[in-house]
Amino acid sequence: MSPLNRFLHRPETLAGAIILGVLFAMALFASLLFPGDPQAIAGPALLPPFHDWSLPLGTDRLGRDVLAELFHGARTSLAVGLAAAAAALLIGAVVGTLAGFAGGVVDEVLMRITDAFQTVPSFLLALAFVSVVGPSLGVVVAAIALGAWTGPARVARAEVLSIRERDYVAGARVIGMHPLEIAFREVLPNALPPVLALSSVIVAAAILTEAALSFLGLGDPNRVTWGGMIAEGRTVLRTAPFLSIVPGIALVLTVLGVYLAGEGVVETAAVRRSLS
Amino acid sequence: MSLLSVSNLTKHYRRGGTTIAAVDGVSFTIEPGETLALAGPSGSGKSTIARLVLRLIEPDAGNIQFKGDDFLALNGAALRARRARLQMVFQDPLAAFNPRATVARVLDDPLRIHAIASRVERPARIAALLERVGLTADLAPRSIHEISGGQRQRVAIARAIATNPSLIVLDEAVSALDVSVRGQILELLLDLQARERIAYLFISHDLGVVRAIAHRVVLLDAGRIAESGDARAVIDVPQSAIGKALVAAAPTLNRTHLQDAS
Ligand SMILES: Nc1ncnc2c1ncn2[C@@H]1O[C@H](COP(=O)(O)OP(=O)(O)O)[C@@H](O)[C@H]1O
Ligand SMILES: [Mg+2]
């Protein structure tokens, strides 16, 4: 069985892949299907869903098209989630590799810093960071990454500690390779699999954190976000609950999809490694 | 002047509450083009000496002179540059290479690091290196996993000679190989030595192999030198208890055959 077949064989992984596929399609085609500003007024306010087929999911308090907002929100969620997770994995892998490979004082200092970041709840950290620096997409990404890199750093360090004792690392030293090249070209790539296995959880958490920040009004104000939509809908929760429920469902499905597909990838990779 | 001169080398390891002397006041020299064997039972400190000589670990005491310089005083870029002249071949050729590496990359690294050949010249150099160790150039794109153990050890030797070293440390370099492959690798080593005057620090627990390849031998026991001298003299008439035990235990010590071969 090919890796792709094996990957799609499990129903839960297939479900995750489908959810993610739909999500990516939404993000990709958002400005094609809904050109123009999704925050512009498109019709009467508080139109309920399934009443007017030009506005299938109705409108919000200001008369904005909910479906258009949902599509554009998918874009923000995915972009922020993936960028923040990538940044967290990169920082974590680099810090963990340096600490594990250098050992001694460098290790000590880097791991104290990691401890410090880990003791502060990551959401508070993100909250404080965005409050101080100001909300924009880049800042939100940085804020989320700031709270998420410690896990990858610890995993990378543990892996590097075992790899650095191998003969091939000694061999690289014997041929005169620079320590940084040994750390990042010889050791880090071989330490990556367990670090990357964390990525589904980190992406899912990053998407949730982004939504929570937006919910609190700390998202990028120029972008539609699901968290922002939920917060908007909260003021009319009794009369128009769908305004919060629709983006809420989208959020839950997304996190579920990321997690299921991610686990599938990890397991496929594990099977392939054990087969080879 | 000797190529390598090691004096009073000492390395302790702390294990539990006790300290053990893995290497205890060991001294020896190696002349250019000569093979010195380090032999001894498992745990006698052979690998520790290899790692000390290669500056993979630091000694607690002692001196190492290599090519007239205080080798222990070198650090950083100067040490890395010096490493071109002092190479190593490991026992397990699979563990000695990055699992993701190809044959070409393994040989490219030393050529690049020591600026021995430009990027465009390197493929030809790699092909030449492969041929020098009895392999064909079409092996270059293959993964290290895809080739046989004997081929892998030849690649390890090709990597070691890529920088034109004066001394190669071989730590049990033929111990993991089949008998027939072992003979071929030993012949390759003798051939390289004859052509390029490379000296070997040849580590083995097998006196049959030592007798076939080494000029002189140092017998180690628990981190100390038990006996040393001309390889044939020591192995034919061992004086120390450990020497006698090693001779009795040597699986390939078939004297008539080896005398014919060498
Ligand atoms: N990193 C280490 N930590 C603790 N003890 C070690 C270490 N390396 C080697 N030793 C000990 O030093 C002694 C010599 O080991 P080694 O040089 O590997 O012997 P040989 O290669 O002759 O089998 C052994 O008792 C071994 O257990
Ligand atoms: Mg050993």
Side-chain angles (χ1 to χ4, degrees):
Chain A
M1 222 178 348
S2 79
L4 188 67
N5 273 344
R6 205 178 308 121
F7 173 62
L8 295 176
H9 199 66
R10 298 150 26 109
E12 61 269 34
T13 316
L14 185 65
I18 289 173
I19 295 173
L20 275 192
V22 169
L23 200 71
F24 271 102
M26 284 172 73
L28 222 58
F29 296 122
S31 31
L32 214 71
L33 295 173
F34 303 97
D37 185 0
Q39 288 177 307
I41 287 164
L46 291 177
L47 186 72
F50 313 124
H51 273 238
D52 178 347
W53 288 111
S54 67
L55 298 165
L57 285 184
T59 59
D60 70 1
R61 218 157 43 95
L62 299 171
R64 297 178 292 206
D65 182 351
V66 172
L67 189 63
E69 287 193 287
L70 200 65
F71 270 60
H72 283 268
R75 207 177 235 201
T76 317
S77 276
L78 270 188
V80 171
L82 291 178
L89 288 169
L90 183 72
I91 299 170
V94 169
V95 170
T97 301
L98 283 177
F101 191 72
V105 183
V106 176
D107 185 24
E108 198 69 24
V109 169
L110 288 175
M111 288 331 279
R112 286 298 152 272
I113 295 173
T114 309
D115 284 345
F117 270 89
Q118 210 159 27
T119 43
V120 185
S122 56
F123 186 65
L124 282 187
L125 200 65
L127 209 62
F129 189 75
V130 177
S131 314
V132 171
V133 185
S136 76
L137 209 59
V139 172
V140 170
V141 168
I144 297 172
L146 221 52
W149 63 270
T150 53
R154 284 187 185 287
V155 172
R157 175 175 176 272
E159 196 67 11
V160 167
L161 280 181
S162 89
I163 291 177
R164 74 167 187 184
E165 301 301 331
R166 305 224 178 123
D167 275 356
Y168 84 84
V169 174
R173 288 176 67 195
V174 166
I175 61 162
M177 196 178 280
H178 193 280
L180 285 177
E181 188 184 347
I182 300 178
F184 289 110
R185 187 153 163 261
E186 301 284 315
V187 175
L188 176 59
N190 290 306
L192 271 186
V195 179
L196 291 181
L198 298 173
S199 52
S200 62
V201 174
I202 292 179
V203 171
I207 288 175
L208 280 177
T209 308
E210 187 277 334
L213 286 173
S214 301
F215 181 81
L216 295 177
L218 289 170
D220 188 327
N222 302 315
R223 287 188 176 256
V224 184
T225 63
W226 291 345
M229 288 170 75
I230 296 173
E232 273 282 309
R234 204 180 36 147
T235 52
V236 287
L237 197 56
R238 259 194 236 155
T239 49
F242 68 91
L243 286 180
S244 294
I245 291 172
V246 166
I249 289 174
L251 194 61
V252 169
L253 283 180
T254 300
V255 169
L256 202 66
V258 166
Y259 183 75
L260 291 178
E263 290 299 290
V265 171
V266 169
E267 256 170 55
T268 313
V271 169
R272 207 168 52 199
R273 260 204 305 282
S274 70
L275 285 182
S276 72
Chain B
M1 183 188 62
S2 300
L3 175 65
L4 180 81
S5 161
V6 168
S7 57
N8 201 24
L9 204 58
T10 300
K11 178 74 181 176
H12 295 283
Y13 282 115
R14 190 172 294 284
R15 205 163 31 189
T18 60
T19 321
I20 63 153
V23 178
D24 195 1
V26 167
S27 306
F28 58 84
T29 61
I30 301 179
E31 304 306 320
E34 180 193 36
T35 300
L36 175 73
L38 281 182
S42 173
S44 57
K46 305 182 297 292
S47 294
T48 305
I49 292 175
R51 300 173 80 79
L52 287 167
V53 164
L54 286 153
R55 289 287 302 275
L56 291 170
I57 52 176
E58 298 300 315
D60 295 322
N63 271 304
I64 301 175
Q65 299 269 333
F66 180 59
K67 284 183 156 274
D69 296 331
D70 180 357
F71 193 56
L72 293 175
L74 292 176
N75 274 309
L79 174 61
R80 289 198 297 279
R82 197 48 146 173
R83 287 187 182 285
R85 304 279 90 85
L86 178 50
Q87 284 297 301
M88 173 156 192
V89 176
F90 293 85
Q91 169 169 8
D92 177 1
L94 194 55
F97 295 120
N98 188 332
R100 298 160 167 266
T102 61
V103 171
R105 216 201 92 184
V106 156
L107 298 178
D108 188 78
D109 282 339
L111 299 175
R112 169 179 55 84
I113 289 164
H114 295 287
I116 288 167
S118 71
R119 185 188 289 271
V120 289
E121 292 164 357
R122 273 183 244 142
R125 282 293 189 114
I126 290 168
L129 278 171
L130 285 172
E131 274 157 27
R132 248 163 89 195
V133 297
L135 296 170
T136 49
D138 60 357
L139 224 57
R142 302 270 286 279
S143 158
I144 281 295
H145 281 287
E146 297 170 353
I147 61 179
S148 73
Q151 287 175 323
R152 233 177 258 135
Q153 202 58 304
R154 285 176 190 269
V155 172
I157 292 168
R159 164 143 120 162
I161 62 173
T163 54
N164 298 316
S166 315
L167 174 63
I168 301 179
V169 177
L170 301 116
D171 188 359
E172 306 273 12
V174 298
S175 306
L177 303 174
D178 296 343
V179 177
S180 61
V181 180
R182 179 185 300 168
Q184 292 165 11
I185 297 286
L186 288 176
E187 252 161 55
L188 170 65
L189 291 172
L190 288 172
D191 180 54
L192 285 170
Q193 185 168 60
R195 280 199 280 170
E196 319 198 11
R197 255 170 75 80
I198 304 173
Y200 297 134
L201 177 57
F202 188 90
I203 294 174
S204 179
H205 63 274
D206 181 348
L207 287 186
V209 172
V210 168
R211 194 175 182 286
I213 194 167
H215 301 110
R216 288 188 299 128
V217 64
V218 168
L219 296 185
L220 288 167
D221 186 19
R224 292 168 180 271
I225 294 182
E227 186 174 354
S228 67
D230 177 83
R232 289 187 188 178
V234 168
I235 293 168
D236 291 346
V237 193
Q239 302 297 316
S240 61
I242 202 75
K244 287 171 186 157
L246 284 169
V247 166
T252 57
L253 204 54
N254 177 338
R255 287 179 196 178
T256 42
H257 165 76
L258 282 164
Q259 264 158 359
D260 294 344
S262 59

